[in-house]
Amino acid sequence: MKLIRHPDKSQWSEFLTRPAFETVELTSTVNAILSDVKADGDAALRRYTATFDGCELDGFRINKEEITAAGEKVPDELKAAIRTAGGNIGKVHAAQAEPIKVIETSKGVTCWRKSVPIECVGLYVPGGTAPLFSTVLMLAIPAKLAGCREIILCSPPDQNGRMNETMLYAAELCGVTQIFKLGGAQAIAAMSYGTETVPKVHKIFGPGNQYVTCAKQLVFQTGTAIDLLAGPSEVAILADESSVPAFVAADLLSQAEHGRDSQVLLVSTSENVIEKTTAELEKQITRLPRSEIALAALENSKAILVDRVDTGIEIINEYAPEHLILGVDKADEVAERITNAGSVFIGNYSCESAGDYASGTNHTLPTAGFAKSFSGVSLDSFVKKITFQKLSASGFRELAPTIEIMAAAEGLEAHRRAVAIRLEEIDGI
Amino acid sequence: MKLIRHPDKSQWSEFLTRPAFETVELTSTVNAILSDVKADGDAALRRYTATFDGCELDGFRINKEEITAAGEKVPDELKAAIRTAGGNIGKVHAAQAEPIKVIETSKGVTCWRKSVPIECVGLYVPGGTAPLFSTVLMLAIPAKLAGCREIILCSPPDQNGRMNETMLYAAELCGVTQIFKLGGAQAIAAMSYGTETVPKVHKIFGPGNQYVTCAKQLVFQTGTAIDLLAGPSEVAILADESSVPAFVAADLLSQAEHGRDSQVLLVSTSENVIEKTTAELEKQITRLPRSEIALAALENSKAILVDRVDTGIEIINEYAPEHLILGVDKADEVAERITNAGSVFIGNYSCESAGDYASGTNHTLPTAGFAKSFSGVSLDSFVKKITFQKLSASGFRELAPTIEIMAAAEGLEAHRRAVAIRLEEIDGI
């Protein structure tokens, strides 16, 4: 980690800026994949799966027997853990449901909004070095709670044309309706346009590499909604003299092992804690199977020494981290002052792993500073909120002059006349 | 209107598909404007304002004196109407605030989420043929209620370099913090990147022509959030024998006058009502100042005769209109079955104009079928919802095995160790 001591505010942007996305260069490659899948459907999917995943598949859809067989291979202990985590995730997301509140804005004029499930949703879960079944929970549980009719899951097959068994178990448990062995930009294309076997969805969720992210960006432009544009994962930790360096180091490493491009930031009022954390990092990293990845990520990371917790809070709000761990004294009070973050972990026992898996909050969160304007995935992400209004004849009568005056002032005479013609009827003219 | 009788379901997509956006062709033009403003700031803004708005401006920011002077010129009757409408809009949006609910997912593990205002927001309101001060209300009122610190408004100047007075009055009333005479893609660029005089914002709201929409799409890719991609405005009306043809025609026209590309759809179980509505359209349109625009829009519009209300509901849910008027018998029951629409107007006295101006619901709504997956603008659009979690030592102890098992199964050893190292401390190992 690079130590930066008491930086002047004018320098903040220098070390808080993330490496730029390079989606532009990918655009033509990804566009070609999208066009191909749009035109050729399943045949194009077969070609890309052979090229990118190294396996020849006749069909992509996983059948009931395969799912049942996979479930039998998942150890009972892991199944129980998944159910416990799923239960917590369910509780948090169920509490996000919005009851209908009917508001009478003026006498006889009532307005309300209603959450209605997005009918078909597509969940993408990357394959690769780690089988992220936890992401299946984070996306499928709120989708099911929201009431989405069709919940599709796409995840790439391995070279033997198979999908991770725990992933299949989690998908079945959480109510995924169809599972496809499809990865990369071709999976996003399949869900966006639909093919002979893959249904077209209205919104696509989930993380992915730069090809997947670029594909989501492109299909968004042609009408498929997306959850977020996910960049490399990030954590910021605010530490003071009360922090436990061994915990801080372990948390930094748990972020750093995600990928070489992971962003890790330590902000501390204590140089002592920074030094001890650095020593702990060196000690702990040697024991990690993914130490090479973690090491690469740490090389780009920064420890920032600040004079006061206030300055630390200000830096963190400017950075807007995906994950924020407050391992400081009076962490609750500090949490109140956080204005830009995806998810906040309060106190020494709230490690990021807890939220990644099992506390109940969603782990699909805004990265790259998007936390300044985006929320993480929640129940809201799987519904749209339709507004309704109903005017009684007398409510309409009362409000009519207001509408007429405004419509006339905007020069929209037909808008005014839609009111006037009703007034004529009510007043019997 | 083109009458389509009892279409087979296989034909629906044919007449429900909207004309395609042609943003791709614009991209290079708009990209050039964005780059220019990014590089040259205010100087570029001056050049584009001279070219596109036909006026030479030294500065773009409107000062307090101009705002006060403008307010004095707005008729009292209009001011009162704006205040009435604003009051209703405020009531609806205030009710959308989400209280904090703390959920104990397992003993000692608490999770909650908190709505935090997006710090700086930019509102764009088009100029042109109609001064849309109502859009100022629809965007600035929820922004203010949400607690956004900086609320910027951009709207193009007229050829004399002036902005509509009612627009200025509405902006001041609703708490806009800075107003700029800037239009088109250059305004979007200014708010997205910031210039010498225009602050950089985190999210941009508001309708606009295809240049504005394209610019919003492009800045979204580089990190500025946007509300919606607005296409041409739309209305669908569901009518039966109980509908009033004069009202139906007036409502269709109030949509049609928006622009030549406005989308208008009448779905009816009664051929009689369709015929009478057509006759009313011919009668009413002659009286409109914007009759030429409305006529063009109507030429592309359709009346669909269906056998039953059920079929009509199905067609409407497939179309996903921005505005939906239910001028039918038992409109409340029909409303319950609407799954895809931006805003729904229930009964014969709930005309679209009411929601456009004064009922209290927001008029910034998803077009082009986006209502299948997007909500209209609401208080939610001006906040992000940050999640929090706090685990007590005992809560952590209890959940720890679940997290460890899952992290191990995903092959993320550092995630598991962040738990193990805390357990060691708790258990005194």
Side-chain angles (χ1 to χ4, degrees):
Chain A
M1 294 185 93
K2 191 181 166 202
L3 175 61
I4 302 166
R5 283 190 188 80
H6 305 295
D8 186 77
K9 204 163 176 174
S10 64
Q11 298 171 280
W12 289 7
S13 72
E14 196 181 307
F15 57 81
L16 294 182
T17 306
R18 277 82 163 178
F21 271 106
E22 288 170 27
T23 46
V24 178
E25 289 174 30
L26 298 173
T27 305
S28 65
T29 310
V30 173
N31 249 331
I33 298 173
L34 298 184
S35 310
D36 243 21
V37 173
K38 197 172 187 177
D40 283 358
D42 286 348
L45 295 179
R46 269 189 290 273
R47 288 197 299 274
Y48 286 114
T49 303
T51 308
F52 296 129
D53 302 304
C55 64
E56 306 276 346
L57 293 179
D58 284 334
F60 307 101
R61 192 168 186 278
I62 292 182
N63 63 37
K64 281 280 166 201
E65 291 71 37
E66 291 172 273
I67 295 169
T68 309
E72 284 163 7
K73 289 188 186 149
V74 178
D76 286 343
E77 200 185 31
L78 179 55
K79 282 184 186 170
I82 289 174
R83 282 196 301 268
T84 299
N88 285 354
I89 296 164
K91 283 177 207 166
V92 167
H93 290 80
Q96 292 167 347
E98 188 187 56
I100 293 175
K101 279 190 275 186
V102 179
I103 308 294
E104 188 165 26
T105 53
S106 49
K107 206 164 153 47
V109 179
T110 49
C111 301
W112 64 96
R113 67 173 177 175
K114 182 170 118 177
S115 296
V116 179
I118 297 174
E119 212 171 291
C120 305
V121 296
L123 318 181
Y124 183 80
V125 178
T129 48
L132 301 177
F133 57 83
S134 60
T135 302
V136 176
L137 304 186
M138 294 293 175
L139 299 177
I141 290 172
K144 181 77 183 170
L145 278 172
C148 301
R149 185 177 58 73
E150 186 86 83
I151 305 169
I152 307 295
L153 172 68
C154 284
S155 191
D158 63 20
Q159 289 197 336
N160 303 314
R162 302 175 64 85
M163 198 186 285
N164 178 273
E165 287 145 0
T166 315
M167 195 104 94
L168 295 181
Y169 170 75
E172 175 75 359
L173 181 74
C174 300
V176 167
T177 55
Q178 296 195 62
I179 308 172
F180 296 93
K181 292 182 279 192
L182 283 170
Q186 63 272 24
I188 304 302
M191 293 192 281
S192 178
Y193 308 129
T195 71
E196 298 90 319
T197 56
V198 184
K200 177 179 162 63
V201 305
H202 300 119
K203 187 166 182 177
I204 296 175
F205 295 79
N209 62 19
Q210 48 188 350
Y211 290 89
V212 168
T213 300
C214 179
K216 283 172 71 181
Q217 213 167 47
L218 292 171
V219 299
F220 174 68
Q221 288 175 36
T222 54
T224 307
I226 59 173
D227 55 345
L228 287 166
L229 293 174
S233 194
E234 311 162 345
V235 73
I237 301 182
L238 185 62
D240 62 11
E241 271 300 333
S242 77
S243 303
V244 185
F247 296 0
V248 175
D251 291 341
L252 291 172
L253 286 171
S254 77
Q255 189 60 49
E257 77 169 341
H258 269 300
R260 294 167 186 280
D261 53 3
S262 284
Q263 303 287 308
V264 164
L265 191 70
L266 173 61
V267 181
S268 177
T269 51
S270 161
E271 187 150 4
N272 179 36
V273 164
I274 293 178
E275 276 166 18
K276 285 187 177 155
T277 299
T278 308
E280 274 288 334
L281 280 172
E282 283 167 18
K283 197 171 96 188
Q284 292 183 24
I285 201 168
T286 58
R287 302 182 204 153
L288 293 178
R290 295 166 72 97
S291 61
E292 205 196 327
I293 292 173
L295 199 62
L298 286 179
E299 268 168 21
N300 297 316
S301 69
K302 288 121 192 167
I304 300 162
L305 180 66
V306 291
D307 53 347
R308 302 177 303 142
V309 169
D310 288 2
T311 313
I313 293 171
E314 215 182 322
I315 287 180
I316 278 162
N317 283 331
E318 182 55 35
Y319 183 61
E322 181 191 13
H323 305 96
L324 171 63
I325 301 175
L326 300 174
V328 289
D329 191 36
K330 298 182 183 159
D332 290 289
E333 286 172 29
V334 173
E336 290 286 328
R337 296 168 58 199
I338 298 304
T339 55
N340 293 321
S343 195
V344 181
F345 300 76
I346 302 174
N348 281 327
Y349 295 107
S350 305
C351 55
E352 191 198 309
S353 311
D356 285 342
Y357 292 109
S359 65
T361 59
N362 207 292
H363 79 196
T364 312
L365 295 164
T367 57
F370 274 107
K372 287 185 180 174
S373 48
F374 282 84
S375 314
V377 165
S378 72
L379 192 70
D380 297 340
S381 314
F382 295 89
V383 301
K384 63 265 177 177
K385 298 186 179 182
I386 304 179
T387 55
F388 293 83
Q389 55 241 286
K390 188 177 179 182
L391 288 79
S392 68
S394 65
F396 170 80
R397 185 74 195 79
E398 197 68 30
L399 199 57
T402 296
I403 309 170
E404 285 197 285
I405 291 165
M406 291 176 74
E410 286 195 351
L412 294 173
E413 176 63 11
H415 282 63
R416 195 195 64 75
R417 288 202 52 79
V419 174
I421 206 163
R422 285 168 165 91
L423 275 182
E424 286 165 17
E425 191 236 36
I426 292 175
D427 295 343
I429 298 169
Chain B
M1 296 185 92
K2 191 182 164 200
L3 174 61
I4 302 167
R5 282 191 188 80
H6 305 295
D8 186 77
K9 204 165 177 173
S10 63
Q11 298 170 280
W12 289 8
S13 70
E14 196 181 306
F15 58 82
L16 295 182
T17 306
R18 278 80 164 179
F21 270 106
E22 287 170 30
T23 46
V24 179
E25 288 175 31
L26 298 173
T27 305
S28 65
T29 310
V30 174
N31 249 331
I33 298 174
L34 298 184
S35 310
D36 244 20
V37 173
K38 197 173 186 175
D40 284 357
D42 286 349
L45 294 179
R46 270 189 287 274
R47 289 198 298 274
Y48 285 115
T49 302
T51 309
F52 296 130
D53 302 304
C55 64
E56 307 276 345
L57 293 180
D58 284 332
F60 307 102
R61 192 167 185 278
I62 293 183
N63 63 35
K64 281 280 165 201
E65 291 71 37
E66 291 173 273
I67 296 169
T68 310
E72 284 163 9
K73 290 189 185 147
V74 178
D76 286 342
E77 199 185 31
L78 180 53
K79 283 184 184 169
I82 289 174
R83 283 195 301 268
T84 300
N88 285 355
I89 296 164
K91 283 177 207 165
V92 167
H93 290 79
Q96 292 167 347
E98 188 187 55
I100 293 175
K101 279 190 275 185
V102 180
I103 308 294
E104 188 165 27
T105 53
S106 49
K107 206 166 155 44
V109 179
T110 49
C111 301
W112 64 97
R113 66 172 178 177
K114 183 170 117 178
S115 296
V116 179
I118 297 173
E119 214 171 291
C120 305
V121 296
L123 318 181
Y124 183 81
V125 177
T129 48
L132 302 176
F133 56 83
S134 60
T135 301
V136 176
L137 303 186
M138 295 294 175
L139 299 177
I141 289 173
K144 182 76 182 169
L145 278 172
C148 302
R149 184 178 58 73
E150 186 85 86
I151 305 170
I152 307 296
L153 172 68
C154 284
S155 192
D158 63 21
Q159 288 196 337
N160 303 315
R162 302 177 63 86
M163 199 186 283
N164 178 275
E165 288 146 359
T166 315
M167 196 103 92
L168 295 180
Y169 170 76
E172 174 75 357
L173 181 74
C174 301
V176 167
T177 54
Q178 296 195 63
I179 308 173
F180 296 93
K181 292 183 278 192
L182 283 169
Q186 62 274 23
I188 304 302
M191 294 193 280
S192 177
Y193 308 129
T195 70
E196 297 91 320
T197 56
V198 184
K200 176 180 162 63
V201 305
H202 300 120
K203 186 166 181 176
I204 296 176
F205 295 79
N209 63 17
Q210 49 189 347
Y211 291 89
V212 168
T213 300
C214 180
K216 284 172 70 180
Q217 212 167 48
L218 292 172
V219 300
F220 173 68
Q221 287 175 36
T222 55
T224 308
I226 58 172
D227 55 344
L228 287 167
L229 293 174
S233 194
E234 311 162 347
V235 73
I237 301 181
L238 185 62
D240 62 11
E241 271 300 334
S242 75
S243 304
V244 184
F247 296 0
V248 174
D251 291 340
L252 291 172
L253 286 171
S254 75
Q255 189 59 50
E257 79 171 338
H258 269 301
R260 291 165 188 281
D261 53 3
S262 283
Q263 302 289 307
V264 164
L265 191 70
L266 172 61
V267 181
S268 176
T269 52
S270 162
E271 186 150 4
N272 179 37
V273 164
I274 293 178
E275 276 167 16
K276 286 188 176 153
T277 300
T278 308
E280 274 288 334
L281 281 172
E282 282 166 19
K283 196 171 97 189
Q284 292 182 24
I285 201 166
T286 56
R287 304 183 203 152
L288 294 178
R290 295 166 72 98
S291 63
E292 205 196 328
I293 292 173
L295 198 62
L298 285 178
E299 268 169 20
N300 296 316
S301 68
K302 288 121 191 165
I304 300 162
L305 180 66
V306 291
D307 53 347
R308 302 177 302 143
V309 169
D310 288 3
T311 313
I313 293 171
E314 214 181 324
I315 287 179
I316 278 162
N317 283 331
E318 183 56 34
Y319 182 61
E322 181 190 12
H323 304 96
L324 171 63
I325 301 175
L326 301 174
V328 289
D329 189 36
K330 298 183 182 160
D332 290 289
E333 286 172 30
V334 173
E336 291 283 330
R337 296 169 58 200
I338 298 304
T339 56
N340 293 319
S343 194
V344 181
F345 300 77
I346 302 175
N348 281 328
Y349 295 106
S350 304
C351 55
E352 192 198 309
S353 311
D356 285 342
Y357 292 109
S359 65
T361 60
N362 207 291
H363 79 195
T364 312
L365 295 165
T367 57
F370 273 107
K372 288 185 180 174
S373 48
F374 282 83
S375 313
V377 165
S378 72
L379 192 71
D380 298 339
S381 314
F382 295 90
V383 301
K384 64 264 177 178
K385 299 187 180 182
I386 304 179
T387 55
F388 294 84
Q389 53 241 286
K390 188 177 178 183
L391 288 80
S392 68
S394 65
F396 170 80
R397 184 78 196 75
E398 197 68 31
L399 199 57
T402 296
I403 309 169
E404 284 198 283
I405 291 165
M406 290 175 76
E410 285 195 350
L412 294 173
E413 176 63 11
H415 282 63
R416 195 194 65 73
R417 288 200 52 79
V419 174
I421 206 164
R422 286 169 164 90
L423 275 183
E424 285 165 17
E425 191 235 37
I426 292 175
D427 296 344
I429 297 168

